Amino acid sequence: MKISVTSYLTLIFFVLFFHTFSSCSYNKYQICNEKYCKTKGIFRENEWYCHYECALSCIQGGCYDQALICLNNAEKLKKDNTDRKMVRTYAMHFVDYFLHREKGIIFYRTGKYKQALKELSLSISHEPSERAYTYLDKTRSKIFIQNRLAETTPQISINGIADYDKIIWTNKKKISISGIVSDEQYVSAIIIQQKSLFIQSSNKIIPFYNEFILPEGKQPVVIKAMNIMKNEAEKTITFFVDRSGPLIQIHKISNNIFKGIVSDESGEITFQVNNYSTQIIKEKSYFFSIPFDPNAKFLKYKAKDKLGNKTTGNLSLIKNRHLVAFNSSTISDIPLLTIGNGSPPKLELNHIKSSNVNAYRDNIEISGFVEYNQKIKSFFINKKKINKTPVIKMDFNQSIMLKKGLNEILFELHYDSNAILSKTIKIERKIQKIYQTAQRRSLYFRKVENTDSENFIFQKLLIKKLKKTNRFKIIAFSNSNCIIVDLPRIISHNIKLDDPEKELEALIQIENLKGEVLSNIDAYCDVSGKGRSYQLKFLAERIVEHIIRKYPLIDGSLKIESNSQFVVTPDKIIPDEILIKFKNKSIKCDEIIQPGNGVILYKKDDLDCTFGCETKIVGNSSVKGIYSFKYSINPIHLQNHFENIRGINQ
């Protein structure tokens, strides 16, 4: 078959056209890999974004010389070479433009660490990104090795702790520790109680703050820190948590003498009976024998430990009876289960009037007494034995930790040979209304249509982990009060050309209903050897950490100032480290809240605060103006007084 000259020239033209406009090849260098250094569409020599796209393709293929040429050409063509997310290319097309970051990564991979350090630092100064932070740490560690610097370990300093061997006694509901970790070779991780604290980027000095709940007893708390050279340091603080009051065990009352044992783990007890002088006891367990007025009608006694935990009791002294105990607020409608012979003993609980109780905090104290004339052998709360010796009466004030939801507290009193008296209290651990998800701002995720895609899997993980924080109300359809999370982007980066392990980057964009960008959030994972599934979970957790810090929950007291402004002063912020930064004045209100944000006004419901108070919503408003460390809200009419009213953002 003959081919005409015209057809032949046309064929040559299309070959040259395809080669010129679909790949970023330069005469100076031969393409190192034909699969890379290409653009998806037509390559336009005079457009910076074509050179930039080509550079990214070259980096994926390990063609670093060609990648630098492409980046340099993009830099010459583009007027503003600031690293930024979502830069317009043409029409409605956008690209994340990180010229300096990509140069830094090339220099790192080619062993030019000083140049890498310069470019990566410049990129972060323009637009912080986790990928840049990751490679900055890698670069610094290579420089330390190259300069043969002696390796260091992090120095952990905890506020208020001078002697780390000394046991810290506390009765606090929540334990908080704060301090500083420092290291010339950059602190990269801080772990408290096996939980990693959120760190945006490594630094030579990183302050930390953490709150947690500990059960009663001796509890070691381990703080670990790591630098970018993977060297670790560790310190242990030992707490003795004691939220329970002293135990008062009465053995005998005869001949106008009150006998028994008062005990407490703290080893320091203040004990008083009626108007007799107070005894200060420096023992864990103390046998007392106290005379009383034969004309006395009752005995009133109280014990307090060194932390301020108290137990109180009363005895009515009636002729022909050893004991008749009384209390004004005891359970009256809880059925008793008595097994065995003999008259049943008494088991009564203070301040609990029903077998079903609501609680609004994680730790509660239950006080009461048990009594039996023929002596009580053993008394148990949730299978934990309370008394050490047989008694005829015992007063207690025990701390109990609750889990979310329903908790059953079992009280068992063993007496006679095989007799048992038991009571069960059901306590519902509830979340205060103001902190429930229903009161939070709505968050709508644009749906990923391809259910088999990696983006769909990632979005599903992201929603699941975000729901656990209770920070947003996740909705299926957008509404007038929602913010929108755009479709996620998962970018896979080759580490080495033939290596199946990839570095993963996740990016999401959050918008308002007008389509205005509120924030761009990224996460990066260079963990290899654990599989793609692990990497996606890691990225989802990291993105969620960024979101709740970008949109913290801000709680504060409401006051009317002299200029008739309704002003909220934050005193509680979630997450905790945002609160510490706010108190230290390293961040201000305009960094954590924006005008127009919804604000709910509430106060504590004082009907029953035995185990924490429920909250009552009294109005709704929105942020009007923002000052350094407080913000004003739009005026609102409240029927009640403004006393004790607080404001929390949606």
Side-chain angles (χ1 to χ4, degrees):
M1 185 176 97
K2 292 183 179 180
I3 301 176
S4 67
V5 174
T6 304
S7 299
Y8 185 77
L9 291 174
T10 302
L11 180 62
I12 291 174
F13 172 81
F14 277 110
V15 169
L16 290 173
F17 180 91
F18 179 82
H19 183 266
T20 302
F21 292 101
S22 66
S23 67
C24 183
S25 60
Y26 293 87
N27 294 330
K28 190 174 181 181
Y29 291 97
Q30 185 178 359
I31 297 298
C32 71
N33 191 316
E34 291 184 358
K35 292 182 181 179
Y36 297 94
C37 293
K38 294 180 179 180
T39 57
K40 291 181 180 178
I42 296 173
F43 180 83
R44 294 181 172 86
E45 185 72 34
N46 295 324
E47 299 293 353
W48 64 266
Y49 50 84
C50 290
H51 293 273
Y52 183 72
E53 182 186 349
C54 197
L56 298 183
S57 176
C58 287
I59 293 171
Q60 287 283 67
C63 304
Y64 299 127
D65 289 337
Q66 288 86 344
L68 274 176
I69 292 172
C70 292
L71 289 173
N72 288 334
N73 283 335
E75 189 172 14
K76 290 174 185 176
L77 291 168
K78 194 173 186 301
K79 293 180 181 179
D80 180 7
N81 284 290
T82 303
D83 281 17
R84 281 191 297 125
K85 294 172 184 171
M86 301 302 289
V87 176
R88 186 189 298 275
T89 56
Y90 64 94
M92 293 303 292
H93 295 266
F94 296 84
V95 65
D96 293 331
Y97 183 69
F98 284 89
L99 177 101
H100 298 288
R101 183 184 71 184
E102 300 309 319
K103 277 189 175 184
I105 291 170
I106 291 170
F107 288 136
Y108 168 79
R109 290 183 177 177
T110 54
K112 299 172 183 176
Y113 302 123
K114 287 185 179 179
Q115 290 168 274
L117 183 67
K118 179 182 176 182
E119 293 291 343
L120 291 166
S121 299
L122 184 58
S123 174
I124 290 167
S125 70
H126 292 167
E127 176 84 70
S129 66
E130 289 212 344
R131 191 169 189 229
Y133 281 128
T134 300
Y135 273 91
L136 185 62
D137 283 350
K138 290 180 177 183
T139 300
R140 283 172 173 157
S141 63
K142 290 291 186 182
I143 290 173
F144 291 146
I145 294 170
Q146 198 175 59
N147 294 340
R148 297 182 180 180
L149 296 177
E151 292 192 10
T152 61
T153 55
Q155 300 298 307
I156 303 170
S157 175
I158 301 169
N159 295 335
I161 307 294
D163 184 359
Y164 289 92
D165 294 325
K166 187 178 179 180
I167 294 175
I168 301 169
W169 285 77
T170 182
N171 63 351
K172 291 181 178 179
K173 309 294 182 189
K174 279 188 176 182
I175 310 297
S176 63
I177 58 173
S178 62
I180 290 173
V181 180
S182 58
D183 195 325
E184 283 298 311
Q185 293 180 354
Y186 292 84
V187 180
S188 60
I190 301 172
I191 302 163
I192 300 177
Q193 292 295 80
Q194 299 181 332
K195 180 184 177 183
S196 294
L197 303 189
F198 178 83
I199 294 177
Q200 172 71 47
S201 62
S202 65
N203 216 318
K204 289 185 177 181
I205 299 175
I206 296 183
F208 66 88
Y209 177 87
N210 193 231
E211 282 189 354
F212 45 88
I213 298 171
L214 291 176
E216 284 200 301
K218 190 176 180 180
Q219 305 293 340
V221 173
V222 180
I223 301 102
K224 291 183 179 180
M226 182 188 294
N227 65 16
I228 62 173
M229 303 300 291
K230 308 300 181 185
N231 294 323
E232 294 184 359
E234 180 180 303
K235 279 193 176 177
T236 301
I237 310 172
T238 303
F239 290 93
F240 197 103
V241 182
D242 180 11
R243 304 185 190 98
S244 298
L247 188 65
I248 304 171
Q249 303 174 75
I250 301 170
H251 292 163
K252 190 176 183 181
I253 298 177
S254 63
N255 300 323
N256 301 323
I257 296 177
F258 181 38
K259 295 182 178 181
I261 293 175
V262 59
S263 58
D264 190 85
E265 282 294 323
S266 69
E268 186 175 312
I269 309 165
T270 302
F271 187 52
Q272 186 178 34
V273 180
N274 283 358
N275 294 322
Y276 296 105
S277 60
T278 301
Q279 298 184 56
I280 299 175
I281 303 156
K282 298 285 187 178
E283 298 177 32
K284 287 187 177 182
S285 184
Y286 175 74
F287 179 81
F288 62 84
S289 179
I290 301 173
F292 58 86
D293 186 344
N295 296 318
K297 294 182 180 180
F298 65 89
L299 293 176
K300 187 176 182 180
Y301 47 90
K302 58 184 177 181
K304 182 172 71 172
D305 66 18
K306 69 178 182 181
L307 296 172
N309 302 310
K310 297 178 183 178
T311 303
T312 61
N314 295 283
L315 278 175
S316 176
L317 304 173
I318 300 176
K319 196 174 182 180
N320 299 324
R321 283 198 62 187
H322 290 292
L323 293 171
V324 176
F326 64 89
N327 194 289
S328 60
S329 55
T330 57
I331 292 179
S332 58
D333 62 344
I334 298 178
L336 303 184
L337 175 62
T338 306
I339 304 172
N341 299 320
S343 58
K346 283 189 176 181
L347 165 54
E348 299 199 17
L349 305 175
N350 301 334
H351 312 298
I352 298 179
K353 301 176 183 179
S354 169
S355 58
N356 293 283
V357 183
N358 292 331
Y360 296 94
R361 59 173 188 250
D362 296 313
N363 296 300
I364 62 169
E365 287 72 47
I366 294 182
S367 62
F369 67 87
V370 292
E371 69 170 20
Y372 183 48
N373 292 348
Q374 304 302 315
K375 288 195 176 180
I376 297 161
K377 291 181 178 180
S378 303
F379 177 52
F380 297 86
I381 300 178
N382 280 348
K383 303 298 181 181
K384 176 187 174 183
K385 190 175 181 179
I386 304 301
N387 64 312
K388 295 181 179 179
T389 59
V391 295
I392 56 175
K393 185 176 188 286
M394 178 168 54
D395 296 271
F396 59 88
N397 180 15
Q398 288 290 307
S399 175
I400 295 174
M401 288 189 69
L402 303 176
K403 65 179 188 298
K404 287 183 181 179
L406 186 64
N407 298 261
E408 290 192 353
I409 314 299
L410 175 64
F411 301 86
E412 289 182 309
L413 191 154
H414 294 236
Y415 64 103
D416 290 340
S417 55
N418 297 309
I420 299 175
L421 167 68
S422 68
K423 291 182 181 181
T424 299
I425 310 298
K426 294 181 179 180
I427 301 178
E428 184 80 18
R429 169 64 174 99
K430 291 193 170 184
I431 305 298
Q432 291 172 310
K433 185 177 181 180
I434 198 65
Y435 289 111
Q436 291 175 9
T437 309
Q439 308 305 325
R440 302 278 69 82
R441 194 173 186 180
S442 299
L443 195 64
Y444 169 69
F445 282 80
R446 289 202 174 101
K447 291 181 176 60
V448 178
E449 297 299 334
N450 184 0
T451 56
D452 294 325
S453 68
E454 198 166 56
N455 281 2
F456 178 82
I457 296 169
F458 175 75
Q459 189 183 74
K460 194 174 178 181
L461 285 168
L462 188 61
I463 292 171
K464 181 180 178 181
K465 292 181 183 298
L466 197 55
K467 280 182 177 179
K468 289 182 179 179
T469 68
N470 291 326
R471 178 58 190 91
F472 291 97
K473 179 169 56 180
I474 311 298
I475 56 174
F477 302 95
S478 61
N479 61 35
S480 59
N481 190 37
C482 77
I483 54 178
I484 299 168
V485 180
D486 203 356
L487 299 176
R489 291 179 291 148
I490 303 295
I491 302 172
S492 180
H493 299 278
N494 288 341
I495 303 172
K496 294 180 181 177
L497 188 57
D498 299 322
D499 193 340
E501 294 290 344
K502 310 290 182 184
E503 296 176 341
L504 286 190
E505 187 176 15
L507 303 104
I508 65 164
Q509 182 170 284
I510 299 178
E511 308 167 354
N512 61 19
L513 285 174
K514 296 178 182 178
E516 297 168 336
V517 177
L518 301 177
S519 54
N520 281 293
I521 298 172
D522 68 283
Y524 196 72
C525 180
D526 67 339
V527 179
S528 60
K530 292 191 176 182
R532 198 80 162 187
S533 177
Y534 173 86
Q535 288 182 307
L536 290 174
K537 287 178 183 177
F538 176 88
L539 289 172
E541 288 172 358
R542 192 73 180 171
I543 290 284
V544 167
E545 292 282 2
H546 280 291
I547 290 174
I548 62 175
R549 282 159 180 80
K550 196 76 176 176
Y551 302 94
L553 208 55
I554 306 164
D555 197 350
S557 57
L558 176 69
K559 290 183 179 179
I560 302 179
E561 296 195 341
S562 56
N563 56 0
S564 299
Q565 289 273 19
F566 291 64
V567 173
V568 176
T569 303
D571 53 34
K572 181 179 180 181
I573 301 176
I574 302 172
D576 299 326
E577 72 264 21
I578 305 294
L579 175 63
I580 295 303
K581 289 179 181 179
F582 185 78
K583 286 184 175 180
N584 292 340
K585 299 187 176 181
S586 59
I587 61 170
K588 298 180 181 179
C589 264
D590 60 357
E591 297 176 67
I592 55 176
I593 198 165
Q594 292 78 41
N597 284 178
V599 177
I600 302 171
L601 304 178
Y602 75 98
K603 64 187 302 183
K604 289 182 179 179
D605 189 342
D606 297 327
L607 291 177
D608 183 8
C609 288
T610 305
F611 301 134
C613 298
E614 174 58 296
T615 53
K616 182 179 180 181
I617 295 174
V618 297
N620 291 277
S621 185
S622 59
V623 177
K624 180 182 178 183
I626 299 175
Y627 310 100
S628 293
F629 301 102
K630 57 187 178 181
Y631 64 88
S632 64
I633 63 171
N634 288 303
I636 182 172
H637 174 70
L638 295 173
Q639 293 181 349
N640 300 321
H641 295 293
F642 285 89
E643 188 177 354
N644 298 323
I645 290 180
R646 297 176 62 81
I648 186 170
N649 64 317
Q650 288 186 313

